[in-house]
Amino acid sequence: MDLREQFGVYIKLQPFITGVNAEIQLHSKFTTNLIGNSPIILDILNNPKWFIVRLDVATDYTTPFNTSAYLRRNGNQKQTNYDTSSWAGSTGNPNKTACDSHYDRKVEDELIESNFTNRFEVKLFFKEADNMTLSNLNHSTLVQRLQKEMFIPCLTYSYFNYKQVKTNRGDKAYIYLINQAKKAQNENAIRLLLTKSQWTTFRKHFKACRDDIEQAYLESSHIMYDFLLPLKND
């Protein structure tokens, strides 16, 4: 049942001999239209048996796409770069824990009426054994995974100064290294171009300058998951 336009929900049922496997996808329209959502759908989601297999966390910025950058979660993770987007990780890997994407929202959708066009998005993947259920979200696990993401929304001296980074703050040569890393197909490719000392400084500086996306998640989580609260009886 494709109810994305009406309720922001997509429901897929796959019957088996011994029962039915059900999958529910919640899209952005669902959380922005909670009042208009069907009470039946809300009741279904509050069933404690549901567990999460994928959760997307996106942060939007007013900075231009081409003045920001990120490092892959590990050196071998493949990255595909385009003029207005960049994608890392493989959704086909059964052992994946996260995939990243960075793109210009305005290019993806010209109808967007917002200054927040620069998006960094993390797709977090879970197995049933992770016990990531809708009825009892493990926020600490989510935060731990988000803390591994390294994204810098603005490669300017003012941003580095704001972060109060002590190592080569705002140094042009360092910013050049970041831009070189953006063009590489994986993190190890840029490592080959640097001395051991440069690589240590590069990683240290990038980590110190990263945006605290896990903090943004925590500050807005109580709003994002309002639909999981028990419905009030009139």
Side-chain angles (χ1 to χ4, degrees), residues 160 163-171 174-175 200-209:
F160 294 127
K163 283 289 186 178
Q164 298 181 345
V165 179
K166 295 180 181 179
T167 56
N168 299 335
R169 184 172 61 205
D171 186 270
Y174 173 75
I175 294 177
T200 300
T201 301
F202 179 77
R203 292 284 304 184
K204 181 179 180 181
H205 197 132
F206 209 113
K207 187 173 183 179
C209 296

Side-chain angles (χ1 to χ4, degrees), residues 158-207:
S158 59
Y159 176 81
F160 294 127
N161 187 61
Y162 168 75
K163 283 289 186 178
Q164 298 181 345
V165 179
K166 295 180 181 179
T167 56
N168 299 335
R169 184 172 61 205
D171 186 270
K172 289 184 179 180
Y174 173 75
I175 294 177
Y176 171 77
L177 290 177
I178 295 178
N179 283 320
Q180 287 296 104
K182 287 175 64 175
K183 300 173 184 178
Q185 289 302 309
N186 58 59
E187 188 175 312
N188 286 340
I190 188 66
R191 186 172 186 172
L192 296 175
L193 304 176
L194 307 176
T195 65
K196 185 177 181 179
S197 176
Q198 284 177 319
W199 177 252
T200 300
T201 301
F202 179 77
R203 292 284 304 184
K204 181 179 180 181
H205 197 132
F206 209 113
K207 187 173 183 179

Side-chain angles (χ1 to χ4, degrees), residues 70-83 85-90 100 177-193 199:
Y70 74 98
L71 281 184
R72 274 70 79 200
R73 296 169 65 86
N74 61 70
N76 292 318
Q77 192 176 43
K78 185 178 180 181
Q79 178 169 321
T80 303
N81 303 312
Y82 301 98
D83 291 339
S85 65
S86 184
W87 312 82
S90 172
D100 303 329
L177 290 177
I178 295 178
N179 283 320
Q180 287 296 104
K182 287 175 64 175
K183 300 173 184 178
Q185 289 302 309
N186 58 59
E187 188 175 312
N188 286 340
I190 188 66
R191 186 172 186 172
L192 296 175
L193 304 176
W199 177 252

